[in-house]
């Protein structure tokens, strides 16, 4: 882990005052003074999070037309729509740090910004939609419940609402999984296959191991992160193992074993080479996801132009009425 890097322009007395506020558990708000490095770290993490929500709509959106019943279709549309909303709250939160949303979106479209590795895997069957709700939203809840206590007020408050919605998402996913697991042998095989494919990428969502996480020490020090990547990954494993057993599905890890001393489920080695490949843009769907976002952005240009023209017209009208 790297040492805390303080930008040269930061006044040490102000940094000390800021860190005393953090230590006292106070929330940092947009107009409060903050070290430049804190601001940059938040922009990095929050914008990556917002991008993840937006790109995360794609694997599931792929199944809206093929959901097996009207009820499933309604919940999936609502879920995907919620994810757009989460992206918007977090982009708004990021803008409170003085950065323009258009700039952040451009970084995503240019391929210079990261988004969660998990969304670079394909959704091959309907069971994948259940398993995404169970694993991916389950992992997001573990991560974001803790972020709801982050030191930066706008981010923490966005997480409270988002976590409430993620709980519905997880339930709809687990319900699909439980239904398929209790279904025909073909349905059970389909859901087991989805579990096998999504388990390891879901563990990678929590980020590199603590020993290889350059940002964790600084973010923990400033109480943006309240738990390390490995701590949250372990919590997710501990919660998920009994959920898999309850629906008679197996997790694809022969090394899973309960350790009575630590009361944790120990698990096998994560394939970090695969993780790093996905981060470098070489996952199964990286190119497809970016191409889809670029197309959506281009197709939506007329909406942005119309909205700007309408806003300009309203401003002109208000100005002429005030004159
Ligand atoms: N994928 O030093 P660390 C969701 C990057 S939302 C890609 O450990 P940090 C909802 C990391 O950015 C899912 N990149 O970094 C949903 C850094 O790169 P940089 C997203 C990753 O920030 C459900 C480098 O590796 N959630 O699922 C990943 O301390 C269903 C070194 O890593 C959030 O973003 C990864 N998995 O910890 C939507 C939560 N892991 O910038 C649709 C907020 C690490 O230095 C359907 N974020 N990297 O070039 C966080 O909690 C943290 O930022 C971590 C990473 C834990 C993701």
């Amino acid at each position: 882990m790297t040492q805390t890097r303080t930008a040269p322009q930061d006044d040490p007395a102000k940094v000390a005052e800021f860190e005393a506020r953090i230590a006292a558990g106070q929330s940092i708000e947009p107009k409060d003074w903050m070290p430049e490095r804190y601001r940059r770290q938040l922009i990095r993490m929050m914008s990556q999070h917002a991008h993840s929500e937006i790109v995360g709509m794609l694997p599931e959106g792929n199944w809206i037309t093929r959901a097996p019943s009207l009820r499933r279709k309604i919940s999936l549309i609502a879920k995907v729509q919620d994810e757009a909303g989460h992206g918007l709250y977090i982009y708004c939160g990021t803008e409170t740090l003085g950065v323009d949303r258009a700039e952040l979106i451009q970084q995503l479209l240019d391929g210079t910004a990261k988004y969660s590795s998990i969304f670079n895997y394909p959704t091959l069957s309907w069971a994948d939609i259940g398993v995404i709700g169970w694993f991916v939203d389950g992992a997001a809840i573990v991560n974001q419940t803790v972020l709801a206590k982050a030191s930066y007020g706008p981010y923490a408050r966005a997480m409270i609402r988002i976590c409430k919605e993620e709980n519905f998402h997880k339930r709809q996913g687990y319900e699909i999984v439980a239904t398929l697991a209790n279904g025909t042998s073909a349905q059970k095989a389909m859901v087991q296959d989805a579990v096998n494919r999504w388990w390891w990428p879901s563990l990678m969502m929590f980020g590199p191991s603590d020993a290889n996480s350059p940002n964790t020490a600084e973010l923990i020090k400033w109480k943006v992160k309240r738990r390390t990547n490995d701590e949250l990954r372990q919590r997710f494993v501990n919660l998920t193992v009994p959920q898999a057993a309850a629906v008679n599905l197996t997790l694809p890890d022969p090394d899973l074993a309960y350790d009575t001393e630590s009361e944790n489920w120990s698990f096998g080695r994560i394939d970090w080479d695969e993780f790093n490949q996905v981060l470098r843009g070489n996952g199964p769907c990286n190119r497809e996801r970016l191409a889809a976002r670029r197309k959506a952005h281009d197709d939506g240009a007329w909406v942005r132009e119309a909205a700007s023209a309408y806003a300009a017209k309203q401003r002109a009208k208000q100005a002429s009425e005030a004159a």
Side-chain angles (χ1 to χ4, degrees):
M1 290 181 196
T2 52
Q3 299 291 308
T4 297
R5 281 163 287 171
T6 306
Q9 67 268 34
D10 288 337
D11 173 352
K14 282 188 165 176
V15 174
E17 197 185 315
F18 170 86
E19 289 188 340
R21 287 189 61 193
I22 299 262
Q26 287 181 25
S27 175
I28 305 301
E29 295 299 331
K31 289 186 179 161
D32 294 344
W33 186 89
M34 60 186 79
E36 181 57 18
R37 175 80 189 156
Y38 177 85
R39 193 179 76 85
R40 279 193 226 152
Q41 273 284 33
L42 281 169
I43 292 173
R44 178 192 67 83
M45 185 170 155
M46 290 169 67
S47 63
Q48 288 178 5
H49 190 169
H51 298 328
S52 304
E53 298 280 357
I54 298 298
V55 178
M57 294 162 72
L58 295 169
E60 290 169 299
N62 183 35
W63 278 88
I64 289 174
T65 53
R66 289 174 286 163
S69 68
L70 186 58
R71 178 168 173 265
R72 296 290 188 215
K73 199 184 287 268
I74 290 169
S75 358
L76 185 57
I77 291 174
K79 180 180 194 295
V80 173
Q81 187 173 309
D82 284 351
E83 278 143 15
H86 298 174
L88 296 184
Y89 306 149
I90 307 172
Y91 281 130
C92 286
T94 317
E95 285 181 309
T96 65
L97 292 156
V99 65
D100 188 57
R101 188 184 313 193
E103 188 186 322
L104 302 175
I105 290 173
Q106 198 54 49
Q107 289 167 1
L108 172 68
L109 300 177
D110 291 346
T112 53
K114 290 194 173 73
Y115 58 86
S116 184
S117 50
I118 193 75
F119 302 118
N120 291 305
Y121 290 84
T123 41
L124 302 179
S125 74
W126 170 249
D128 289 27
I129 300 306
V131 173
I132 287 179
W134 175 25
F135 286 174
V136 178
D137 288 274
I141 292 168
V142 167
N143 172 271
Q144 292 169 189
T145 308
V146 180
L147 288 175
K149 300 189 189 88
S151 57
Y152 189 56
Y155 194 30
R157 288 190 288 275
M159 288 304 111
I160 293 171
R161 172 148 180 197
I162 290 177
C163 282
K164 286 184 185 158
E165 294 178 354
E166 302 286 26
N167 272 300
F168 284 109
H169 298 174
K170 184 180 170 191
R171 277 162 197 241
Q172 70 82 41
Y174 194 62
E175 195 203 25
I176 294 171
V177 166
T179 305
L180 294 173
N182 281 314
T184 63
S185 56
Q187 286 171 323
K188 181 156 187 194
M190 179 169 74
V191 72
Q192 183 62 60
D193 170 64
V195 165
N196 295 349
R197 284 181 289 107
W198 288 93
W199 175 248
W200 291 105
S202 299
L203 296 193
M204 294 174 196
M205 278 180 76
F206 293 92
S209 66
D210 294 351
N212 293 313
S213 166
N215 298 296
T216 293
E218 189 170 61
L219 292 172
I220 293 255
K221 174 185 158 145
W222 281 332
K223 295 191 180 171
V224 174
K225 278 169 122 171
R226 313 295 296 245
R227 292 277 180 275
T228 69
N229 299 355
D230 286 336
E231 285 168 348
L232 293 176
R233 190 170 9 248
Q234 184 64 62
R235 177 162 169 70
F236 173 75
V237 173
N238 290 351
L239 288 169
T240 311
V241 170
Q243 290 164 4
V247 287
N248 292 318
L249 291 171
T250 53
L251 298 171
D253 180 358
D255 294 328
L256 263 182
Y258 190 68
D259 176 27
T260 45
E261 204 173 305
S262 65
E263 300 186 341
N264 284 324
W265 282 90
S266 56
F267 50 93
R269 190 189 169 279
I270 292 173
D271 183 349
W272 294 116
D273 294 338
E274 176 180 324
F275 175 73
N276 290 324
Q277 279 301 323
V278 175
L279 260 59
R280 280 190 212 113
N282 300 322
C285 300
N286 292 61
R287 287 170 189 80
E288 189 185 318
R289 300 291 182 239
L290 277 187
R293 285 309 317 154
R294 288 180 186 133
K295 182 176 183 314
H297 190 75
D298 292 346
D299 290 351
W302 69 272
V303 180
R304 293 191 297 279
E305 282 161 22
S308 305
Y310 180 74
K313 215 164 139 186
Q314 291 300 103
R315 273 195 305 274
K317 198 173 151 203
Q318 280 162 7
S320 74
E321 279 166 6

